[in-house]
Amino acid sequence: MSTLLLLLGCVGTPTDSTDTAPTGDGAYHVQWSTDPSPPNAGSHAEITATVIGPDGAPVKQLTLFEGAFLHTFIVPRDLSEFVHVHQEDETDVTTDELKSATFVYHAEFEEAGDYLIDFDFASEGRYLAEIGQVTAVGEPAEADAPTEDDATRRVVRDVTAQLVWDVAPIAQQEAEWHLHLIHTDGKEKSEVTDLVQWGGADAHAGMVDWADTRFFHTHAWYPGMENAAPGDAMPSLYPGPDLPFHYTFPTAGRYRAWTQFARVGAPDDEYTVPFDIVVGE
Ligand SMILES: [Cu+2]
């Protein structure tokens, strides 16, 4: 099998060229690979990722934010699932790993086909990202295209989430919405009031733009969030039942947003709730 696909996310100097001084291209990059290469559908692959700075050397000043130095999001082209992983989910980052800005962790590729892979990190007060692609092989295969889904109510485990628009989404204007969460245990229904922070925020929303396969990330809205720097603590404001979001979508079109949050009874077992967002002109 070709390893070429694995290199699509890498533009910098190969990590094995340690005998020569690194020369960067002035931008940050993530050099990454999977083992096996390519990943197999239905199994876990090991991901090794190194964050490279503008000078071509591993970044020594990565900022810890939302509980991790490197956040990885993996989404199939058919947008049927959303994977969000970090090395810190499995093992602590050692001093040597931090010095070499190299992280090793695992992700499951459920189906064969193309995946978008997004790496989020922060350095010198800035959020940075690298986006790439990886193709898993085997069976079963992904669908050819995403299935549009305009539902505004979704049940995930014991929570029913209702999507409510407060300011409708229009390109380049700030949209506002909230999720209203109802505990749904059989016939019993009550408002969710036991949310706890997960990954340093009351809630996260990862959003993929269908047409251009771009990746965006925001958090439950709080006053002053537009001025926050990476690593700043986010306030705990929303135990439920409502989780508010503000976001300015850059272009019109269909996005899929996955909202993640956790409840006090299982603070590490996050909920992931997908909704489609159609942004108008
Ligand atoms: Cu993360």
Side-chain angles (χ1 to χ4, degrees), residues 66 68 71-73 84-86:
E66 296 160 32
H71 300 255
T72 304
F73 301 90
H84 176 184
V85 290
H86 324 88

Side-chain angles (χ1 to χ4, degrees), residues 239-251:
D242 294 322
L243 281 171
F245 294 89
H246 293 192
Y247 199 72
T248 302
F249 293 92
T251 53

